[in-house]
Amino acid sequence: MSNKKSPDEVLLDKFVNILLDNNAYEQADILQSMADAGEWAAGLDYSMLYCTDLGIVPDAGLLRSVLQSPWCEKDSDADEIGHALLKKAQASVAS
């Protein structure tokens, strides 16, 4: 049996690490629980909400991965916030 993680698990793991790096331990635990339960769509929504609440702008590549995920539902929090954060990430690189 393979222990290889799915792309969705890897994506949420990256956000768990971002939250941990920003001392958002409670949010990281909640997100990890969602990932463990396979709650990918909810996990992406919460990832985007947590980033917004904490003033975190993930790198553009990670945000593109979120927006391209099959679990990023059109007009969801992940979709709307992800697009807004992507604009911020691209603007900070351009400046």
Side-chain angles (χ1 to χ4, degrees), residues 50-70:
Y50 291 148
C51 284
T52 299
D53 288 349
L54 298 169
I56 301 167
V57 179
D59 71 67
L62 181 57
L63 291 167
R64 282 188 203 97
S65 294
V66 168
L67 295 171
Q68 293 170 356
S69 169

Side-chain angles (χ1 to χ4, degrees), residues 11 14-15 18-19 22 47-52 55-64 66 81-82 84-90 92-93:
L11 191 58
K14 289 180 181 182
F15 280 100
I18 287 170
L19 293 171
N22 285 277
S47 296
M48 295 294 95
L49 288 168
Y50 291 148
C51 284
T52 299
I56 301 167
V57 179
D59 71 67
L62 181 57
L63 291 167
R64 282 188 203 97
V66 168
I81 296 169
L85 287 174
L86 182 57
K87 286 180 185 177
K88 285 183 182 180
Q90 291 171 332
S92 70
V93 168

Side-chain angles (χ1 to χ4, degrees), residues 22-37:
N22 285 277
N23 301 319
Y25 303 111
E26 182 179 347
Q27 293 88 344
D29 286 343
I30 293 168
L31 187 57
Q32 185 62 59
S33 294
M34 289 178 180
D36 293 343

